[in-house]
């Protein structure tokens, strides 16, 4: 028996305008309130992430919710160590400006989420990964971005902490050796909302127009 596919929804102009607002107001949040997330919300956000596209339908995303205070403290210590090393790469005024930046909300955020890519997964039978195995990593990034947008729609802020040593974090979280850290994220209610990145607001860097990044061949 043939089952007809469901009718595709119609997204009108009002919906598209709201969607564009969602993209514009998605920010990398580093300043959180300590209020806990509602029960079940994180799991619902992860379910949305799992609807993201993945190469060969291999679904390589692996989500580690970090609740243990001892592991969180070790992550914070790794961030602080890596951040001190990063500061050494700058000099003069840039060094002073870097030292003043708030680059993570690890202590304040009620939720820590580490996201890994399992490149060894048998799901998808290797389709699309033989010439570009890194497509598994990129697939996980699409899941992360889906969670980011869904979080913003729920009034939840999300911040990506990249100043970490990926092997050290994998060891702290005791994950399989085949898993590759894609990102470590803080989630929680932001202290304030803004449609501009914090790094732009403090003058670290400015956003360029899209035309600067378009090339035609």
């Amino acid at each position: 028996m043939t089952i007809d596919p469901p009718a595709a929804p119609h997204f009108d102009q009002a919906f598209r305008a709201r969607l564009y607002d969602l993209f514009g107001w998605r920010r990398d949040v580093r300043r959180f309130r300590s209020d806990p997330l509602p029960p079940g919300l994180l799991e619902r956000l992860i379910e949305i992430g799992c609807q993201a596209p993945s190469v060969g339908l291999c679904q390589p995303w692996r989500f580690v919710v970090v609740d243990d205070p001892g592991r969180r403290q070790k992550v914070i210590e790794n961030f602080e160590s890596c951040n001190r090393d990063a500061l050494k790469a700058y000099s003069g005024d840039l060094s002073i400006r870097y030292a003043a930046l708030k680059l993570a909300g690890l202590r304040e955020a009620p939720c820590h989420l580490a996201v890994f890519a399992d490149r060894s997964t048998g799901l998808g039978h290797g389709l699309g990964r033989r010439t570009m195995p890194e497509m598994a990593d990129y697939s996980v990034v699409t899941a992360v971005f889906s969670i980011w947008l869904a979080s913003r729609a729920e009034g939840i802020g999300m911040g990506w902490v990249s100043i970490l040593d990926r092997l050290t974090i994998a060891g702290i979280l005791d994950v399989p050796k085949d898993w590759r850290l894609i990102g470590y994220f803080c989630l929680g209610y932001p202290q304030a909302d803004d449609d501009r990145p914090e790094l732009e607001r403090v003058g670290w860097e400015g956003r360029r127009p899209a035309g600067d990044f378009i090339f035609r061949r």
Side-chain angles (χ1 to χ4, degrees), residues 73-94:
Q73 180 58 35
K74 289 179 180 178
V75 170
I76 291 171
E77 291 169 1
N78 183 249
F79 165 77
E80 292 174 345
S81 174
C82 291
N83 198 39
R84 286 192 296 270
D85 289 342
L87 178 60
K88 297 174 185 176
Y90 300 100
S91 60
D93 178 65
L94 209 55

Side-chain angles (χ1 to χ4, degrees), residues 31 83 86-87 90-103 198-206:
R31 303 176 191 275
N83 198 39
L87 178 60
Y90 300 100
S91 60
D93 178 65
L94 209 55
S95 174
I96 296 172
R97 291 165 60 194
Y98 181 90
L101 295 174
K102 181 172 177 56
L103 298 174
E198 182 168 346
L199 292 180
E200 183 175 17
R201 297 198 306 271
V202 301
W204 181 262
E205 185 56 270

